[in-house]
Amino acid sequence: MVEQRIQQQFFEGADLKYQSAEPLSRAVADATQALLTSITSGGKMLVAGSGFGVSLAPHLRSLMLGRFERERPGLAAVVLGEDSAAELQALAQPGDVFVAIDAGGPRAGLLAAADAAHAKEITMVVLADAAAEPWRDRLAETDVLVAVPHERRPRVMELHLLVLHCICDALDLQLLGEQET
């Protein structure tokens, strides 16, 4: 019985990834472009999360500062804390990008940070779940929403992690070219 449940977890995760590839690829490419534009013009990424997203934010920062799969110079990235709206007001500059990873849990702080990002006129990239309505009302024309078509938190987190890895891979491709095998 336990083994069957474990297998079901694998199947559900694989199915979600397969079903999400086409619908999310444009949004992930747009998020990558927003970050690339910022990075190449001297901007930085400011990232914060809610729920499971709190643990994904430092992971993304470490991939930007260090490396994903290839050696490259570090890319400017800052993880914002619990008072991310105040931190955004203090740290954000034109050309920066705010990445909000909404993986459930209390999102009031992230929504306040989104308002602060717009007050600073910086682009926002939002990773959310199927219940992305609070974000849709806050998106500007230049913002990007990557809404995972699922509501179960573990599946959303798995897909958010994959999306972040896709963004890092695409940034490396754009900055470094094709990788020699």
Side-chain angles (χ1 to χ4, degrees):
M1 180 146 195
V2 171
E3 286 183 40
Q4 289 174 333
R5 185 169 177 101
I6 291 168
Q7 289 176 9
Q8 185 59 37
Q9 297 287 330
F10 276 90
F11 297 148
E12 186 177 296
D15 287 346
L16 178 60
K17 288 175 183 173
Y18 183 78
Q19 294 167 6
S20 300
E22 189 174 335
L24 294 183
S25 63
R26 170 58 22 214
V28 174
D30 290 346
T32 301
Q33 186 57 51
L35 286 164
L36 181 66
T37 299
S38 175
I39 291 163
T40 57
S41 63
K44 64 187 165 298
M45 179 189 71
L46 301 147
V47 60
S50 70
F52 287 135
V54 171
S55 64
L56 292 177
H59 177 67
L60 176 58
R61 182 201 58 203
S62 70
L63 295 176
M64 298 291 282
L65 292 174
R67 59 176 290 193
F68 177 57
E69 291 185 305
R70 298 163 60 181
E71 293 297 330
R72 62 159 160 69
L75 306 174
V78 176
V79 173
L80 304 176
E82 288 185 32
D83 196 4
S84 53
E87 291 176 85
L88 263 169
Q89 290 171 342
L91 298 173
Q93 298 295 321
D96 291 346
V97 172
F98 173 50
V99 178
I101 307 172
D102 181 0
R107 65 170 55 106
L110 269 188
L111 295 173
D115 295 339
H118 283 149
K120 292 293 246 179
E121 298 183 0
I122 65 170
T123 298
M124 188 167 54
V125 171
V126 178
L127 277 64
D129 60 15
E133 291 313 312
W135 292 106
R136 293 185 203 285
D137 297 338
R138 284 183 162 77
L139 295 177
E141 190 174 307
T142 59
D143 295 337
V144 180
L145 174 64
V146 181
V148 172
H150 209 280
E151 293 178 3
R152 214 167 142 220
R153 287 185 183 179
R155 296 294 87 80
V156 171
M157 184 179 183
E158 290 167 10
L159 211 52
H160 281 177
L161 182 60
L162 178 59
V163 165
L164 296 177
H165 288 170
C166 287
I167 289 171
C168 291
D169 178 67
L171 283 172
D172 284 357
L173 174 67
Q174 295 292 316
L175 293 169
L176 304 172
E178 287 285 342
Q179 185 173 4
E180 295 178 21
T181 55

